[in-house]
Amino acid sequence: QPAVGNGVQLYGLVDNVAGRFTGAIGGVNAQSQSVSKIEGGGMSTSHWGLRGNEDLGGGLTASFELSAFFRSDTGAGGRSDALPAPVNVAADPFFSRASWVGLSSPTWGRLRMGTIISQLFLNTINSNAFGDSMTFGPLPLATFTGGVLGGGTSWTNSLVYDTPTYAGVSATLARSLSEAQGGGNVGARIGYANGPLATSLVWQNVKKDPQTFADGTTANDTTAWQLAASYDFDAVKLFAHVGHIQNKGTNIAPQNVGYRVWDLSASLPVGAGRVLAGYAVRKTSDTAAPVPATVAGGNVERRIFSLGYDHNLSKRTDVYTMLMHDSTQTRTLPVPLRVIEASGNSYGIGIRHRF
Amino acid sequence: QPAVGNGVQLYGLVDNVAGRFTGAIGGVNAQSQSVSKIEGGGMSTSHWGLRGNEDLGGGLTASFELSAFFRSDTGAGGRSDALPAPVNVAADPFFSRASWVGLSSPTWGRLRMGTIISQLFLNTINSNAFGDSMTFGPLPLATFTGGVLGGGTSWTNSLVYDTPTYAGVSATLARSLSEAQGGGNVGARIGYANGPLATSLVWQNVKKDPQTFADGTTANDTTAWQLAASYDFDAVKLFAHVGHIQNKGTNIAPQNVGYRVWDLSASLPVGAGRVLAGYAVRKTSDTAAPVPATVAGGNVERRIFSLGYDHNLSKRTDVYTMLMHDSTQTRTLPVPLRVIEASGNSYGIGIRHRF
Amino acid sequence: QPAVGNGVQLYGLVDNVAGRFTGAIGGVNAQSQSVSKIEGGGMSTSHWGLRGNEDLGGGLTASFELSAFFRSDTGAGGRSDALPAPVNVAADPFFSRASWVGLSSPTWGRLRMGTIISQLFLNTINSNAFGDSMTFGPLPLATFTGGVLGGGTSWTNSLVYDTPTYAGVSATLARSLSEAQGGGNVGARIGYANGPLATSLVWQNVKKDPQTFADGTTANDTTAWQLAASYDFDAVKLFAHVGHIQNKGTNIAPQNVGYRVWDLSASLPVGAGRVLAGYAVRKTSDTAAPVPATVAGGNVERRIFSLGYDHNLSKRTDVYTMLMHDSTQTRTLPVPLRVIEASGNSYGIGIRHRF
């Protein structure tokens, strides 16, 4: 990343992919058709930003980050135009990816204030073979799109404390104030990394009403946890996750529906690139509230399988081709209620460039 | 500020504060409750921007500035989400803080065109102990929020001429074209600085309809003046202001209500920081038009007292804790009309970082 | 342009002009009155952006560009507030000027993906004496404003291939995917440059519904071509264009109206600047669908004559004064239908600064 002086960096990532896509990233539904598109964010959501550190002496450092998502296919702000209603990530606040300032020291850790990536999202993208791909990544899609998870990918109005790393162990506590919008969010993460092994556990409770969509995609009171583990065998790196999302509904419409989420993915070095494969499932045994048939997301079950090759042209630039099979089961209105199955393929060829 | 080449600077400020806040920055009302919040802009409104100078030879310089406010608690654009309706500074244009280009020389001064800070705002923030704090600063709050002042903090579509400084005296003329929205704005400022003493007088008349909210917060025809003086005794720096805002209403609803505004503030160096104290009053003896009881602002009177400590971690970074007591008197609807008193405290601890 | 590292450039242009303007840039109508204004983008539409190249070895280069228009008179995003309804370029996506990533080599050319300037707009602005002036430039105004041309100045969701230049000849193919919004856009351009002579031909068919206004200003199916030639005689550089816009209407309201567009312009070096003169005509012999009398644009004919002087203070900064005479003929509702003539003058003095 380029330095512009004072330790400030201007940085970003532009990722566009051309291909055929079936259904929104929230999941296919029975009406989904395959459409040729150029989409932003095939492997990573496009963004740009400013960040910097200032050495205050005595081991203390001040730091900040301001970062904006944009949809690099149209140049529009926000994360994606691919999510179905009522979610409108096009209405993301400008610096919805990050807007924080904080202090840190090697001794007592780091404390930040503002809009900060959620610990569940950080854990998800740092520990699966597809990274933060919200287009082809089975785990990010199954966890964050088309379901009932609250809190989104960044939390506004939050305080986040990171411990120093000690003997490979690090932990984070996050609190997003409600500011009279629902009940506020709490999250925690603990991780351990040692050579080829990494494992981490994250938990969150989200009660905050989604006044801003970067803040969340549901008004439900939800609790989620995720256990991640990865091992790098050199010939292949394997990732596994198990997790759970409990949806307690809203005050007006309470419910209690739990979803199990699990994922296996692998990254296999081949030449100057990697073959990527992954499979994720989000599934409930409870009775989900029915939705109109035009709503996707798989409120009973969603299964995603992806396979592709990501070729590095340099450290900063890669080209890739990816294929995804998405299938959902949705309990639908009108009566008589029934469960509709849907499935579809998406594939594309893209380029990702970091600066 | 970091240079990026060609004399262009990428600069900004991120300021977040955690605390309890009572009422909007427009002033407490009878329903105001204390709410825990993380807010952007505790001591300075967060912003980023680009600016530069080009030496054209012969003493002539071309310069420009583009600057955007953002609410660093949520990452959203604009100055604040803390003002009550009908003001919506969230709708600030992107570069509403500054968007101008101009020419200057040491001999004949500087002429700029575009969106430029208003002279009244410049005078206010440069001559009180709390600077541009729209969260805790008595003078900025009493002058610019919750009242009837027109013109806001920046004027769009404007021409601004600054004289050179001669024997400590400098002056500025500002004109914002109406472009068929009301009647246009005119402002002037004259200042004198000599060693520890600084004094300045500013006057403005605003008739422009607030098509953009950065342009103003009222459709009223208003005239305001402000006289500022400060003296640095080394052990303490004292600031005093007297001013007046005359509200002539609109063509449809003419009125004639005058507000006196005065302020005393002090900055006391202690260790690596400063103790700040200030008191401001905005008050009318005329009969203000009544408003619903839910509207704050103190259309009869507003009194603000603030006290705090601002500690410098470096030239670029400071941490602070501030306490403010806000009280208002509002003539309210429905009949029988009455004047409601309200008061509340706000306090917080925050960090401000410049880059 | 300043480098910020990694070959990334932060660049932009701020252009403001003060003057009197009659009618919107879409063209005068019978109600147009002269209004004093400060406008952004007198000679070039103000913008800022990030762009960069990365050498990947073997002759291969990765590159990207992100660029945002802004209205430098008010700081608002988007190209202009001067176009009449229903066009609202204020709603331009953030990086609507450019948002692309691509690969290139000297051998096989360049392939880009994302939001990219349209070939017709590129051809227009690169081959007339007034460049990209959407305030005073006869050819840009006659071609892109107030008429029925589809596709706007940038195409979203597009793939663009540029050939290498061989013996002075270069060509470009552009395709904007419909993504289920109408039928997609296709464009092509071929150019030849040799010493003082340059000539180029561009053709486009636009069927895409304008979901984003940067994408276009009409839902009509339109086909356009433009032939440009210029010759630099040293004492004067002459430019000539002929072109045609065929409007096939929409599926619901099919029609078939063709407009001829032609332009002559000249740039005459005088001192440190240039005298600029230009004349453009857009005219139909077909029967255009009538519009309300308040709609401008000249659906029968528009004639624009401009004359001015552009003085260079440096390579990066110029000041200018321009005069434009705009006249239109519009077939108007209500019945009895009639053709209304309108005309008006606009003039201003401005400054343009590049960084």
Side-chain angles (χ1 to χ4, degrees):
Chain A
Q1 287 76 23
V4 293
N6 265 351
V8 176
Q9 290 180 321
L10 177 62
Y11 69 95
L13 182 152
V14 192
D15 181 342
N16 279 334
V17 54
R20 286 188 77 80
F21 297 89
T22 307
I25 69 171
V28 291
N29 67 20
Q31 283 92 51
S32 295
Q33 304 215 329
S34 174
V35 178
S36 292
K37 289 186 180 180
I38 289 176
E39 293 281 71
M43 287 304 288
S44 294
T45 305
S46 298
H47 61 269
W48 71 280
L50 304 170
R51 61 187 170 205
N53 296 305
E54 183 194 14
D55 183 350
L56 300 170
L60 201 62
T61 300
S63 55
F64 78 96
E65 184 171 12
L66 306 174
S67 186
F69 292 112
F70 64 95
R71 290 170 280 168
S72 43
D73 50 346
T74 63
R79 287 171 289 174
S80 171
D81 45 13
L83 279 175
V87 180
N88 180 12
V89 293
D92 281 347
F94 191 75
F95 285 131
S96 60
R97 189 171 175 272
S99 172
W100 57 260
V101 58
L103 293 172
S104 62
S105 94
T107 313
W108 58 259
R110 179 170 65 157
L111 182 65
R112 293 176 289 168
M113 227 191 307
T115 296
I116 300 167
I117 189 170
S118 83
Q119 294 303 304
L120 180 59
F121 190 56
L122 186 71
N123 203 59
T124 299
I125 67 178
N126 278 349
S127 66
N128 85 92
F130 291 82
D132 66 323
S133 173
M134 297 300 266
T135 303
F136 296 112
L139 182 65
L141 288 171
T143 307
F144 283 89
T145 69
V148 293
L149 185 81
T153 59
S154 292
W155 289 3
T156 61
N157 303 109
S158 64
L159 274 169
V160 175
Y161 170 67
D162 302 300
T163 68
T165 302
Y166 182 75
V169 177
S170 62
T172 299
L173 288 172
R175 167 83 176 138
S176 173
L177 300 188
S178 69
E179 304 200 350
Q181 302 169 16
N185 304 342
V186 184
R189 178 177 181 268
I190 185 163
Y192 172 71
N194 188 357
L197 174 71
T199 183
S200 54
L201 177 66
V202 65
W203 174 92
Q204 72 176 31
N205 175 246
V206 172
K207 289 180 180 158
K208 195 169 174 180
D209 287 346
Q211 294 290 326
T212 60
F213 284 103
D215 229 359
T217 57
T218 171
N220 293 336
D221 175 355
T222 64
T223 302
W225 61 261
Q226 184 190 72
L227 176 64
S230 63
Y231 198 92
D232 192 341
F233 294 95
D234 287 338
V236 62
K237 186 170 182 179
L238 295 182
F239 307 80
H241 295 77
V242 291
H244 195 266
I245 301 168
Q246 192 72 23
N247 177 19
K248 296 174 191 161
T250 62
N251 285 341
I252 293 162
Q255 52 174 310
N256 209 354
V257 179
Y259 290 85
R260 297 181 300 283
V261 182
W262 64 267
D263 168 78
L264 281 172
S265 62
S267 167
L268 184 75
V270 175
R274 300 172 302 144
V275 171
L276 306 177
Y279 182 62
V281 176
R282 181 182 69 221
K283 187 175 183 177
T284 188
S285 308
D286 300 330
T287 303
V291 294
T294 48
V295 171
N299 63 6
V300 174
E301 184 179 297
R302 187 176 181 193
R303 293 175 181 272
I304 304 161
F305 173 72
S306 293
L307 179 68
Y309 180 65
D310 182 11
H311 179 77
N312 297 313
L313 294 172
S314 75
K315 283 191 170 184
R316 290 170 52 202
T317 306
D318 50 333
V319 290
Y320 55 85
T321 182
M322 294 285 152
L323 168 70
M324 177 174 80
H325 181 76
D326 186 13
S327 60
T328 59
Q329 292 184 16
T330 308
R331 190 179 311 275
T332 60
L333 288 170
V335 285
L337 303 182
R338 55 190 181 127
V339 172
I340 292 181
E341 300 204 358
S343 69
N345 296 318
S346 296
Y347 54 89
I349 181 164
I351 176 169
R352 171 171 56 175
H353 178 70
R354 299 167 186 85
F355 62 92
Chain B
Q1 288 77 22
V4 294
N6 263 352
V8 176
Q9 291 180 321
L10 178 62
Y11 69 95
L13 181 153
V14 193
D15 181 341
N16 280 334
V17 56
R20 286 189 76 80
F21 298 89
T22 307
I25 68 171
V28 291
N29 66 22
Q31 283 93 51
S32 294
Q33 303 216 332
S34 174
V35 178
S36 293
K37 290 186 180 181
I38 291 176
E39 294 281 70
M43 287 304 288
S44 293
T45 305
S46 298
H47 61 269
W48 72 278
L50 303 169
R51 61 188 169 204
N53 296 306
E54 184 194 13
D55 183 349
L56 300 170
L60 201 61
T61 301
S63 55
F64 77 97
E65 184 171 13
L66 306 174
S67 186
F69 292 112
F70 65 96
R71 289 169 280 168
S72 44
D73 51 347
T74 63
R79 287 170 289 174
S80 171
D81 44 15
L83 279 175
V87 179
N88 180 14
V89 293
D92 281 347
F94 191 75
F95 285 131
S96 59
R97 189 171 175 271
S99 173
W100 56 260
V101 57
L103 293 172
S104 62
S105 94
T107 313
W108 56 259
R110 180 170 65 158
L111 183 64
R112 293 176 288 169
M113 227 190 307
T115 295
I116 299 168
I117 190 170
S118 84
Q119 294 303 304
L120 180 60
F121 190 57
L122 186 71
N123 202 60
T124 299
I125 67 178
N126 278 350
S127 66
N128 85 93
F130 292 81
D132 64 324
S133 173
M134 296 300 265
T135 304
F136 296 112
L139 182 64
L141 289 170
T143 308
F144 284 90
T145 69
V148 294
L149 185 79
T153 59
S154 291
W155 288 3
T156 60
N157 303 108
S158 63
L159 274 170
V160 176
Y161 170 67
D162 303 300
T163 67
T165 300
Y166 181 75
V169 177
S170 62
T172 300
L173 288 171
R175 167 83 175 137
S176 174
L177 300 189
S178 68
E179 304 199 349
Q181 302 169 16
N185 304 342
V186 183
R189 178 178 181 268
I190 185 163
Y192 171 71
N194 187 358
L197 173 71
T199 184
S200 54
L201 176 68
V202 65
W203 173 91
Q204 71 176 32
N205 174 247
V206 172
K207 290 180 180 158
K208 195 169 172 179
D209 287 345
Q211 294 290 326
T212 61
F213 284 102
D215 230 14
T217 58
T218 171
N220 292 337
D221 174 354
T222 65
T223 302
W225 60 263
Q226 184 191 70
L227 175 65
S230 64
Y231 198 92
D232 192 342
F233 294 95
D234 286 340
V236 61
K237 186 169 182 180
L238 294 182
F239 307 80
H241 295 78
V242 290
H244 195 266
I245 301 168
Q246 190 72 23
N247 176 19
K248 295 174 192 160
T250 62
N251 285 342
I252 294 162
Q255 52 174 309
N256 208 353
V257 180
Y259 291 85
R260 296 180 300 282
V261 182
W262 63 267
D263 167 80
L264 282 172
S265 63
S267 166
L268 185 75
V270 175
R274 301 171 301 144
V275 171
L276 305 178
Y279 182 62
V281 176
R282 181 183 69 221
K283 188 175 183 175
T284 188
S285 309
D286 300 329
T287 303
V291 295
T294 48
V295 170
N299 62 7
V300 174
E301 184 181 296
R302 187 175 181 193
R303 292 176 182 272
I304 304 161
F305 173 73
S306 294
L307 180 68
Y309 179 64
D310 182 11
H311 179 77
N312 297 314
L313 295 172
S314 75
K315 283 192 171 182
R316 291 170 50 200
T317 306
D318 50 333
V319 291
Y320 56 86
T321 181
M322 295 285 151
L323 168 70
M324 177 175 78
H325 181 76
D326 186 14
S327 60
T328 60
Q329 293 183 17
T330 308
R331 189 180 311 275
T332 61
L333 290 170
V335 285
L337 303 182
R338 53 190 184 127
V339 170
I340 292 180
E341 299 206 357
S343 70
N345 296 320
S346 296
Y347 53 89
I349 181 165
I351 177 170
R352 171 171 55 175
H353 177 71
R354 298 166 187 86
F355 61 91
Chain C
Q1 288 75 21
V4 294
N6 263 353
V8 176
Q9 291 180 321
L10 178 61
Y11 70 93
L13 181 152
V14 193
D15 180 342
N16 279 335
V17 56
R20 286 189 75 82
F21 298 88
T22 307
I25 68 170
V28 291
N29 66 21
Q31 282 93 51
S32 295
Q33 303 216 329
S34 174
V35 178
S36 292
K37 290 186 179 179
I38 290 176
E39 294 281 72
M43 287 304 288
S44 294
T45 305
S46 297
H47 61 269
W48 72 280
L50 303 169
R51 62 186 169 205
N53 297 305
E54 184 194 13
D55 183 349
L56 301 169
L60 201 61
T61 300
S63 55
F64 77 96
E65 184 171 13
L66 306 175
S67 186
F69 291 111
F70 66 95
R71 289 169 281 167
S72 44
D73 50 348
T74 64
R79 286 171 289 173
S80 171
D81 46 13
L83 278 176
V87 180
N88 180 12
V89 293
D92 281 347
F94 191 75
F95 285 131
S96 60
R97 189 170 175 272
S99 173
W100 56 260
V101 57
L103 293 172
S104 62
S105 94
T107 313
W108 57 259
R110 179 170 66 158
L111 183 64
R112 293 177 289 169
M113 228 190 306
T115 296
I116 299 166
I117 189 171
S118 83
Q119 294 304 303
L120 180 59
F121 190 57
L122 185 72
N123 202 60
T124 299
I125 68 178
N126 278 350
S127 65
N128 84 93
F130 291 81
D132 65 323
S133 174
M134 296 300 265
T135 303
F136 296 112
L139 182 64
L141 289 170
T143 308
F144 283 88
T145 69
V148 294
L149 186 79
T153 60
S154 292
W155 288 4
T156 61
N157 304 109
S158 64
L159 274 169
V160 176
Y161 170 68
D162 302 299
T163 67
T165 300
Y166 182 75
V169 178
S170 62
T172 299
L173 288 172
R175 167 83 176 138
S176 174
L177 300 189
S178 69
E179 303 199 351
Q181 300 170 16
N185 303 343
V186 183
R189 178 178 181 267
I190 185 163
Y192 172 71
N194 188 357
L197 173 71
T199 184
S200 55
L201 177 67
V202 64
W203 174 91
Q204 72 176 30
N205 175 246
V206 172
K207 290 180 180 159
K208 195 170 174 177
D209 287 346
Q211 294 290 325
T212 61
F213 284 101
D215 230 13
T217 57
T218 171
N220 292 336
D221 174 355
T222 64
T223 302
W225 61 263
Q226 184 190 70
L227 176 65
S230 64
Y231 198 92
D232 192 343
F233 293 96
D234 287 338
V236 60
K237 186 170 181 180
L238 295 181
F239 306 79
H241 296 78
V242 291
H244 196 266
I245 301 168
Q246 191 72 22
N247 176 19
K248 295 174 193 162
T250 62
N251 285 342
I252 293 161
Q255 51 175 308
N256 209 353
V257 179
Y259 290 84
R260 295 180 300 283
V261 182
W262 63 267
D263 167 79
L264 281 173
S265 63
S267 168
L268 184 75
V270 175
R274 300 170 303 143
V275 170
L276 306 177
Y279 183 62
V281 176
R282 181 183 69 221
K283 188 175 183 177
T284 187
S285 308
D286 300 330
T287 304
V291 295
T294 50
V295 171
N299 62 7
V300 175
E301 183 179 297
R302 187 174 182 194
R303 293 174 180 272
I304 304 161
F305 172 72
S306 293
L307 179 68
Y309 180 64
D310 182 12
H311 179 77
N312 297 313
L313 295 172
S314 75
K315 281 192 172 184
R316 291 169 51 201
T317 305
D318 50 333
V319 291
Y320 56 85
T321 182
M322 295 285 151
L323 167 70
M324 177 174 78
H325 181 76
D326 186 13
S327 59
T328 60
Q329 293 184 16
T330 308
R331 189 181 311 273
T332 60
L333 290 170
V335 284
L337 303 182
R338 56 192 181 126
V339 172
I340 293 181
E341 300 205 355
S343 69
N345 296 319
S346 296
Y347 53 89
I349 180 165
I351 176 171
R352 171 172 55 176
H353 177 70
R354 299 166 185 84
F355 63 91

